[in-house]
């Protein structure tokens, strides 16, 4: 279960492809939102792809993931199919949450992907609880909790930090510091803007990582994961990053200037890796266009899948509010899904 | 220039602006109310005009900044606190229920908390199970609080000023589906904030409602007219204290009542109002009271299911026909 950092070409190309899948998928999502295929809120991860991709590659299938409403990238990098994610955003029954959750609430038990929490800070105590269950039942798994720097101001953040350290829980906290919580800049929300420092005051290992560099994120994650598995104690990564798009679908971005956005875009995780690979003769233009073509085909297949998905009948409105009676076992989710995937 | 047409959002903003101009002790505080202009754009432009001391952007910490609001009110200021939506107000509920609502009583009447808390509420934007609820009833349950539900543009414009004039904590619910709609705004409120208003006179059945459902009740009343049913529409406006007198007077006249409430049926305000009618107007009723509420399910994401969960105009019409036929 021990992961090693591979700096070989094949692995870096795989990481590039993962980041590009997220990037192109979300660009298409923005388009589909404009066409009203996707509704509600749509929070794009564009600019932050290196974090999800870097962290996920350090995990095993048994580990648990807790994310926020900005979780398309995490779901993709974790291995949920693009089809089931897009179908969810369409609100169809072949979506990963069977259409009930939408963009902000992607879930997949088979991937130990525990959402999709749209209450800022809400995932943190929950992640500590999953970690407690893993530890007390000797499951040899850890829990990764992703959240934005805005959540650091919430009481639930501090309660979760304290409990995780106090009870020695195997959690990896990943703060995605993209510098803004909606329109509120970090300096306007934190008394101490070094978030890793804040976390370390609870007595846990904490460090800042360049969240625009997928290799750095992966290396830091491997180290963190190893340490958590050895010690059963929490670990904190502050990944410094930037959100290239608005907070959600309705954001005029009056709170930051275009020059700042441009500056960060130039250091973006995708462009950076491509440039490095090319400069070192590890990537041919043709390879890149092949990757792009594969992704394009995957996106088209996801759209077809989502378009063919069913609307849940209104007669089922009150379904899944409570668990079914003990006698009927809960296998329907898995069956529905595999049937759906074959469409 | 006695009347004006404004969007609900503009009417709210005009109310806040008047409050800021009228009283130096007033300030607006909440997440993204300043530089961002408010999560639903209500306070857009105010930061630029009134500055960072009176339009205060807070970090994400609902319990913290609502509690600070309670303290500032105790200390002699007149805070308007914006909690983005009722969904996030749950994180501040302790400060609202255990402090704001109780301080006057616990101190034997020495202290009072002149605080106004505004929050968006309601479903209809496909925001799913953590962003769509109507929990006015949670707060309407609490002695020590007053709860307002401006359903018209005029109330959106003037209720804030009425709330600020009150010495005790007042919560104002702003339904998200109203924000973009336009309507008439008068120079002043039509009534005190605690009074229910008859928005449509009728003689056959009382449609009792508030907030985002008022428009649905009025639309239903219009359709019912074509069916020769004369519906009276009661806009509660204030959910705590309830204007029992107006409710009873209407039901005493029409002898039938349908309550339309976007909350879940169980434990809803509709249940409370139904009990009030039973206690005070039982012998005037020609049919059992009917409640139309949201289906007992967290609001689902897809539009067809979200809409199916909510009370709709057709249901009101059908219920009114059924209640007229019952005898
Ligand atoms: C408790 C709570 N308060 C407010 C909101 C509204 N809201 C949603 S996302 C957000 C900003 C969060 O910023 P951050 O944690 O930095 O994450 P990011 O969106 O930048 O990824 C806000 C204020 C919410 N969903 N939950």
């Amino acid at each position: 279960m021990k992961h090693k950092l591979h700096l070989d070409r094949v692995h870096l190309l795989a990481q590039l492809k993962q980041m590009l899948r997220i990037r192109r998928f979300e660009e298409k999502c923005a388009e589909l939102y404009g066409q009203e295929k996707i509704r509600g809120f749509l929070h794009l991860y564009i600019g932050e792809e290196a974090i999800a991709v870097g962290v996920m590659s350090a995990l095993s299938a048994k580990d648990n993931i807790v994310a926020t409403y900005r979780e398309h990238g995490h779901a993709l990098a974790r291995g949920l199919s693009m089809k089931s994610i897009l179908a969810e955003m369409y609100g169809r029954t072949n979506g990963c949450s069977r259409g009930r959750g939408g963009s902000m609430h992607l879930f997949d038990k088979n991937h130990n992907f525990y959402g999709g929490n749209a209450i800022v800070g809400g995932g943190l105590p929950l992640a500590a609880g999953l970690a407690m269950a893993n530890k007390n039942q000797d499951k040899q798994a850890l829990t990764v909790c992703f959240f934005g720097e805005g959540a650091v101001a919430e009481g639930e953040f501090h309660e979760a930090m304290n409990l995780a350290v106090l009870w020695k829980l195997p959690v990896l906290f990943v703060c995605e510091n993209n510098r803004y919580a909606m329109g509120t800049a970090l300096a306007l929300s934190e008394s101490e803007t070094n978030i890793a420092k804040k976390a370390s005051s609870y007595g846990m290992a904490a460090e800042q990582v360049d969240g625009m560099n997928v290799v750095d994120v992966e290396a830091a994650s491997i180290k963190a994961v190893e340490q958590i598995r050895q010690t059963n104690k929490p670990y904190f990564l502050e990944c410094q990053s930037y959100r290239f798009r608005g907070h959600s679908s309705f954001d005029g971005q009056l709170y930051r200037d275009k020059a700042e956005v441009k500056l960060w875009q130039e250091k973006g995780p995708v462009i950076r890796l491509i440039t490095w690979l090319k400069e070192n003769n590890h990537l041919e233009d043709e390879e890149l266009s092949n990757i792009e073509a594969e992704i394009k085909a995957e996106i088209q297949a996801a759209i077809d899948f989502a378009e063919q998905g069913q609307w849940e009948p209104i007669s089922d409105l009150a379904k899944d509010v409570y668990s079914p009676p003990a006698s009927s076992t809960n296998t329907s989710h898995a069956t529905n899904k595999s049937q759906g995937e074959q469409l | 220039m006695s009347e004006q047409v404004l969007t609900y959002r503009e009417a709210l903003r005009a109310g806040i602006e008047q409050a800021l101009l009228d009283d130096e002790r007033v300030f607006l505080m909440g997440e993204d109310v300043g530089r961002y202009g408010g999560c639903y754009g209500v306070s857009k432009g105010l930061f630029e005009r009134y500055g960072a001391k009176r339009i205060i952007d807070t970090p994400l910490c609902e319990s913290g900044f609502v509690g600070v609001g309670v303290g500032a009110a105790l200390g002699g200021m007149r805070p308007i606190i914006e909690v983005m939506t009722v969904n996030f107000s749950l994180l501040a509920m302790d400060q609202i229920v255990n402090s704001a609502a109780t301080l006057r009583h616990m101190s034997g009447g020495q202290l009072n908390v002149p605080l106004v808390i505004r929050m968006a509420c309601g479903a209809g934007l496909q925001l799913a199970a953590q962003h769509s609820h109507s929990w006015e009833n949670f707060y309407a349950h609490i002695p020590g609080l007053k709860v307002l539900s401006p359903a018209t543009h005029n109330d959106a414009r003037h209720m804030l000023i009425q709330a600020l004039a009150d010495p005790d904590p007042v919560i104002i619910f702003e339904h998200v589906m109203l924000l973009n709609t336009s309507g008439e705004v008068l120079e002043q409120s039509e009534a005190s904030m605690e009074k229910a208003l008859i928005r449509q006179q009728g003689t056959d059945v009382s449609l009792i409602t508030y907030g985002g459902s008022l428009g649905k009740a009025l639309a239903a009343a219009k359709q019912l007219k074509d069916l020769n049913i004369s519906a009276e529409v009661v806009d509660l406006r204030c959910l705590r204290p309830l204007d029992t007198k107006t409710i009873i007077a209407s039901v005493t006249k029409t002898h039938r009542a349908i309550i339309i409430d976007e909350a879940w049926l169980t434990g809803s305000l509709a249940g409370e109002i139904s009990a009030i009618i039973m206690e005070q107007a039982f012998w005037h009723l020609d049919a059992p009271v009917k409640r139309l509420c949201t289906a007992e399910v967290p609001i689902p994401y897809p539009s067809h299911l979200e809409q199916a969960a909510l009370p709709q105009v057709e249901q009101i019409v059908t219920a009114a026909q059924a209640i007229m036929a019952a005898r």
Side-chain angles (χ1 to χ4, degrees), chain A residues 38-41 88-91 99-102 104-105 117-120 150 153-154 156 181-184 188-189 247 250-251 254-255 311-314 317-318 321, chain B residues 31-32 35-36 38-40 44 57-63 84 87-88 91 125-131 295-306 308-309:
Chain A
I38 300 172
R39 309 302 307 268
F41 285 151
E88 185 56 38
M89 294 160 82
Y90 271 56
R100 291 290 173 135
M104 298 197 285
H105 305 298
N117 197 318
I119 301 300
V120 172
E154 291 281 7
E156 283 182 320
M182 267 175 86
T184 301
L188 293 172
S189 93
H247 167 73
F250 315 96
D251 180 358
L254 303 172
Y255 49 85
W311 296 112
E312 195 166 8
I314 287 173
L317 177 63
V321 179
Chain B
E31 292 161 7
D32 286 308
R35 293 158 184 87
Y36 193 89
C39 64
Y40 286 112
K44 200 165 192 172
D57 277 325
T58 69
L60 275 107
C61 53
E62 288 76 7
S63 187
M84 288 183 167
N87 308 277
F88 319 144
L91 281 85
L125 296 175
Q126 289 193 250
L127 301 182
Q130 291 183 329
H131 275 68
E296 309 246 341
V297 56
I299 301 292
Y301 163 66
S303 181
H304 69 294
L305 294 180
E306 178 179 44

Side-chain angles (χ1 to χ4, degrees), chain B residues 16-27 54 76-78 161 164-165:
Chain B
I16 298 171
E17 191 145 19
Q18 186 194 334
L20 290 163
L21 289 170
D22 281 359
D23 187 340
E24 278 179 8
R25 297 169 302 171
V26 170
F27 63 94
R54 302 193 74 196
M77 300 199 72
R78 289 286 181 279
I161 302 296
L164 281 166

